[in-house]
Amino acid sequence: MSWWLFILCLLSMPLRASPIDVAKLDEKLPVSADFEVLEDSSSALRVEAVRESPSWKFLERGQRTFKFGITDRAYWVRATLTNSGLDAKSFYLVSEDPRTDFIDFYYFDEQSLLFQKHTGDYTPFSSRGFFYRGYAFLLTIEPGISRQVYMRFQSTAPVEIDLQVYSTGALERDATTAGQAGTLYFGGMASIVLFNFLLFVTSRQRIYLSYCMFQLATAGAIAISFGAAYGLLWPDSPRLNAMMSIFLPCLAPALALTFTASYLGLHENQRKLWWSLQGLAVILGSVGLLGAWHGFPFLMKTLYYLLIVAPILVLSILIGKSLQRNRPASLFLIAWIPLLLAALIYSLGRLGYSIIPLPQGLELAFGSIWEAVFLSLCLGDKFNQIKKQEMLYLRRIQEEELTAREARLIAELRRRENLISEREATANRNLIRVICHDLANPLNIILNYSAMFEKKDLVWSDVQPYLKKVHKAAVHQQEIIEHIREFEALNSGKHQIKLQAVSLWETLKQVQDLIRQKLDEKKIQLLIQGLESDVLVMAEQRSLTYNVLTNLLSNALKFSPDGSTVEIDVVVSQEQVDLVIIDHGIGMDRELVENIFDMASPTTRPGLKGEKGTGFGLPIVKSYVEKYGGSVSVESSPIEEDPEHHGTRFCLRFKRGYSLGAAAS
């Protein structure tokens, strides 16, 4: 019975850790379980007072680190270090938590304080004993000697105390490995961010810019959790380090929520959910700003509770959409599950709930690199989906444009067909009217005078004048009919124009011979200026002579008074020849000038001596000149408006022709 009582007494006694023996230390040892902890509620106890305190406690069984969550209290830890070997031993006592505002380190022998050191996030980075992500204190213990270590921790952020004993070589190797791992991690993140930023520049898809901002904030938060940001970015700015260690862990999830909403297209499909995520992102950002500026513990607790709510909300959305067979949501869920779970574990650990024994931040590093790699693949798939949608949209737009254009073309074709039909009908009506009108006059003359031949008492001397008038009327009818046939053949394409280099000098001489009788009858002088014998124009010889120039000069003589002058001015350039026919006749008013070349408009009028026209001469002139590749224009001043300077001016523009010898030279 006494033995059982003795055993029960032993079990009921508090367990005490044995001294930490560094004699056989080769690499590193986790030593948190060998330390005792004391809560300093007043944050004012000195090391001399806490040494005698009866309230020291050990780490609970199964735990690796002290996790107190977010508190403004200070915590003391202590342990005994001994060297049972035969040689002096140098080693590092390391606090792995990189986020501690104040650390006070005290090193005792049996009774006296050997030395003390004060460091933490509120001191410059150079005050740390070793360039490492935690806080390293170099110690040396002689053989057979024991020392006592007292350390005081205080932080406005979550307090986590994870203590390790390293040999000097092991710490250096671990620091190198950690540096290399950090280089790989941050280098990979930088490559991913740069790649997606280039995609944003080339595609102008804002989702890539949102992703880059989110990944930069995440990388910054990871750098803060490992202590790398302090040593690399702001080693001499402890206040800035303390602010960024609160702000960046808030900014990263806020940007993650914004990115998630954009990636899933919630703005177009689920506006309420979109605004919920945006509101939560704004709250996270606001808490981060207030916590960074003031550092209130309740703000920090609010932050980590929000960091628990946000992953749960995002996971719920992704799982719900994945169950709906939403491809982007399914891929997104695969990429985000590790990071979302890591964020949950990290937040719970910072609140003091121990989930895994690993040092804080490692789970975030793994989750973020997983998410960065797989989310880039998701964005690639998203980009392909966007491109496919854009192609389908563009194809639909093109089909709609083609359909609309085809409809417009068909409508325009029908309108033009109707317009052409109307013009043809109008032209045919006018043509019939002109033909009936112009043929009726000479036909009446023929009928009237031929009726007179029925008188029996007529003699040859009486009949002869009537026969001349009948013959003249018949010739006029023939001219009208020939003009109609020629105009129709020219416009229908039956009359093919074969262009050649025609001598303008020879053509005008021939035309002058044709109108010689009319010139002599009216005593009109024809003046030709600027014409040289070697000037050639591209035309057809016969039509230029009989249908163009003879027509124009006959018109000029018809409306010019007796004894006047008709001028022909020729202007020759490198590529063209302008032939201008100027008369000083009665001229034409503006309305007649505008319709002078239109077959459908009645423009015929008698000459000064009653000469009759067919109304087809000038439209035929225009058709022929355009077939030559030239142009014709007219200017006129009627005598009623300008009694001093009246008359008409026709300008014919031809392409210049060259002989074979001149072209070869």
Side-chain angles (χ1 to χ4, degrees):
M1 179 63 70
S2 61
W3 281 101
W4 283 106
L5 290 174
F6 178 72
I7 293 172
L8 288 175
C9 291
L10 287 177
L11 292 175
S12 63
M13 294 178 63
L15 296 176
R16 297 189 60 84
S18 60
I20 301 170
D21 191 355
V22 298
K24 298 180 179 180
L25 178 64
D26 293 326
E27 295 293 332
K28 71 173 181 178
L29 293 174
V31 295
S32 297
D34 297 309
F35 274 75
E36 297 173 283
V37 64
L38 173 67
E39 180 179 343
D40 181 3
S41 58
S42 66
S43 299
L45 293 178
R46 298 177 60 82
V47 64
E48 293 79 3
V50 300
R51 293 187 68 187
E52 304 301 329
S53 174
S55 302
W56 289 94
K57 297 179 181 179
F58 290 97
L59 190 64
E60 294 182 9
R61 190 178 299 275
Q63 292 187 8
R64 174 182 169 178
T65 60
F66 298 99
K67 293 185 178 181
F68 304 105
I70 300 168
T71 177
D72 55 356
R73 297 182 178 183
Y75 291 88
W76 289 84
V77 295
R78 72 177 180 182
T80 300
L81 304 176
T82 186
N83 180 8
S84 62
L86 301 177
D87 300 316
K89 191 72 173 181
S90 295
F91 58 94
Y92 284 97
L93 177 61
V94 179
S95 171
E96 298 281 1
D97 183 16
R99 178 66 185 96
T100 306
D101 293 342
F102 303 99
I103 296 180
D104 299 327
F105 181 85
Y106 302 91
Y107 194 52
F108 286 88
D109 61 3
E110 296 266 339
Q111 295 294 331
S112 60
L113 177 65
L114 298 178
F115 72 89
Q116 59 183 344
K117 187 174 180 64
H118 305 283
T119 183
D121 287 344
Y122 275 94
T123 57
F125 189 81
S126 57
S127 67
R128 296 184 178 184
F130 191 79
F131 187 84
Y132 189 64
R133 66 185 185 89
Y135 300 89
F137 302 94
L138 180 60
L139 304 174
T140 301
I141 299 181
E142 299 297 327
I145 301 299
S146 295
R147 297 284 186 262
Q148 281 189 322
V149 172
Y150 287 80
M151 301 174 70
R152 179 181 179 275
F153 296 87
Q154 186 174 15
S155 177
T156 55
V159 179
E160 177 178 328
I161 304 174
D162 184 16
L163 297 169
Q164 311 281 338
V165 173
Y166 282 85
S167 66
T168 54
L171 183 64
E172 292 172 359
R173 287 192 300 272
D174 191 84
T176 303
T177 302
Q180 293 172 348
T183 301
L184 289 175
Y185 172 80
F186 293 112
M189 291 291 287
S191 300
I192 291 172
V193 170
L194 180 60
F195 173 74
N196 285 278
F197 182 75
L198 292 177
L199 287 178
F200 162 72
V201 172
T202 55
S203 66
R204 297 297 178 182
Q205 296 289 336
R206 286 182 295 178
I207 191 171
Y208 286 106
L209 182 61
S210 176
Y211 176 73
C212 292
M213 295 173 63
F214 154 61
Q215 290 296 356
L216 286 175
T218 301
I222 297 296
I224 286 289
S225 67
F226 277 98
Y230 192 12
L232 297 177
L233 301 180
W234 39 74
D236 297 322
S237 303
R239 174 60 181 169
L240 178 61
N241 182 70
M243 294 174 63
M244 297 305 292
S245 64
I246 299 174
F247 177 67
L248 284 181
C250 291
L251 181 62
L255 294 176
L257 291 174
T258 302
F259 170 74
T260 302
S262 299
Y263 180 86
L264 297 178
L266 299 181
H267 186 268
E268 294 81 10
N269 303 324
Q270 295 175 282
R271 298 297 295 271
K272 292 183 178 179
L273 192 56
W274 162 272
W275 286 114
S276 298
L277 291 181
Q278 299 304 312
L280 185 57
V282 171
I283 293 174
L284 276 168
S286 302
V287 170
L289 286 174
L290 290 174
W293 190 257
H294 297 287
F296 297 132
F298 79 91
L299 287 176
M300 297 298 298
K301 289 184 179 180
T302 303
L303 163 64
Y304 287 105
Y305 281 122
L306 288 174
L307 291 180
I308 292 173
V309 172
I312 293 175
L313 179 59
V314 173
L315 273 174
S316 302
I317 295 171
L318 293 176
I319 292 173
K321 286 190 168 292
S322 298
L323 293 176
Q324 298 173 3
R325 296 185 179 181
N326 185 308
R327 175 185 174 88
S330 300
L331 295 175
F332 203 70
L333 181 62
I334 295 173
W336 273 66
I337 278 181
L339 182 59
L340 294 175
L341 292 178
L344 283 171
I345 295 171
Y346 177 79
S347 301
L348 289 171
R350 301 306 272 172
L351 289 170
Y353 303 100
S354 180
I355 306 296
I356 58 175
L358 296 176
Q360 57 93 17
L362 290 178
E363 68 281 353
L364 284 179
F366 171 76
S368 67
I369 199 65
W370 173 285
E371 169 268 327
V373 173
F374 280 89
L375 201 55
S376 294
L377 299 178
C378 292
L379 283 176
D381 181 77
K382 179 77 171 180
F383 183 75
N384 289 332
Q385 296 296 324
I386 291 174
K387 286 301 178 183
K388 287 181 181 179
Q389 292 176 0
E390 288 180 352
M391 291 178 64
L392 292 174
Y393 176 75
L394 290 175
R395 187 177 301 171
R396 188 174 70 252
I397 293 298
Q398 289 174 353
E399 290 176 355
E400 292 175 355
E401 288 180 352
L402 288 175
T403 303
R405 186 180 301 175
E406 184 178 358
R408 289 196 300 269
L409 290 175
I410 292 174
E412 180 66 17
L413 180 61
R414 290 175 178 173
R415 187 186 69 81
R416 292 189 179 185
E417 287 177 350
N418 294 334
L419 183 60
I420 291 172
S421 299
E422 292 176 1
R423 287 183 177 178
E424 287 180 350
T426 304
N428 289 334
R429 288 195 300 269
N430 289 335
L431 184 60
I432 292 172
R433 179 181 55 78
V434 170
I435 292 173
C436 292
H437 179 270
D438 289 351
L439 288 178
N441 290 333
L443 184 59
N444 287 333
I445 293 172
I446 294 173
L447 291 174
N448 290 334
Y449 286 112
S450 63
M452 298 180 66
F453 297 156
E454 295 179 359
K455 296 179 180 180
K456 297 181 179 180
D457 57 346
L458 289 176
V459 295
W460 176 250
S461 59
D462 295 328
V463 174
Q464 190 175 9
Y466 298 132
L467 287 176
K468 287 183 179 180
K469 291 182 179 180
V470 169
H471 180 265
K472 188 174 181 181
V475 170
H476 187 56
Q477 278 187 329
Q478 187 180 17
E479 288 179 356
I480 293 173
I481 294 171
E482 288 299 324
H483 277 168
I484 293 172
R485 287 177 177 173
E486 189 169 4
F487 185 80
E488 179 64 24
L490 187 62
N491 285 325
S492 64
K494 296 178 182 178
H495 185 177
Q496 299 295 327
I497 301 294
K498 294 183 179 179
L499 297 180
Q500 59 183 354
V502 177
S503 171
L504 197 56
W505 177 277
E506 297 295 335
T507 303
L508 285 175
K509 282 178 61 178
Q510 190 175 358
V511 172
Q512 195 170 6
D513 291 339
L514 291 174
I515 63 173
R516 174 61 60 188
Q517 183 179 355
K518 294 181 180 180
L519 289 171
D520 293 341
E521 286 177 359
K522 301 190 73 171
K523 296 182 174 58
I524 294 177
Q525 185 180 6
L526 182 63
L527 299 178
I528 302 175
Q529 301 174 354
L531 179 62
E532 299 178 1
S533 59
D534 60 346
V535 175
L536 303 178
V537 296
M538 298 304 296
E540 182 190 50
Q541 178 70 61
R542 181 186 175 283
S543 59
L544 179 62
T545 303
Y546 293 98
N547 300 102
V548 177
L549 295 180
T550 301
N551 241 327
L552 288 174
L553 287 170
S554 297
N555 266 356
L557 297 177
K558 188 189 301 184
F559 298 103
S560 295
D562 293 352
S564 62
T565 302
V566 175
E567 303 165 8
I568 299 178
D569 291 341
V570 180
V571 180
V572 182
S573 65
Q574 186 72 24
E575 300 292 334
Q576 63 191 28
V577 177
D578 290 347
L579 187 147
V580 184
I581 300 175
I582 306 169
D583 68 61
H584 304 283
I586 60 175
M588 297 178 286
D589 59 23
R590 181 175 300 175
E591 182 180 359
L592 190 57
V593 168
E594 291 176 353
N595 299 305
I596 196 69
F597 298 114
D598 187 3
M599 269 288 296
S601 300
T603 59
T604 181
R605 58 178 181 166
L608 295 182
K609 292 189 175 183
E611 301 97 330
K612 295 181 179 179
T614 64
F616 299 104
L618 290 176
I620 290 175
V621 168
K622 184 175 187 294
S623 297
Y624 272 114
V625 174
E626 289 180 349
K627 294 289 185 182
Y628 301 158
S631 62
V632 58
S633 60
V634 60
E635 298 176 1
S636 187
S637 298
I639 192 170
E640 295 85 0
E641 295 181 4
D642 193 352
E644 296 293 331
H645 303 92
H646 53 83
T648 303
R649 174 190 180 99
F650 282 92
C651 179
L652 303 176
R653 177 163 291 175
F654 302 95
K655 291 182 179 179
R656 187 172 180 182
Y658 294 93
S659 62
L660 293 178
S665 61

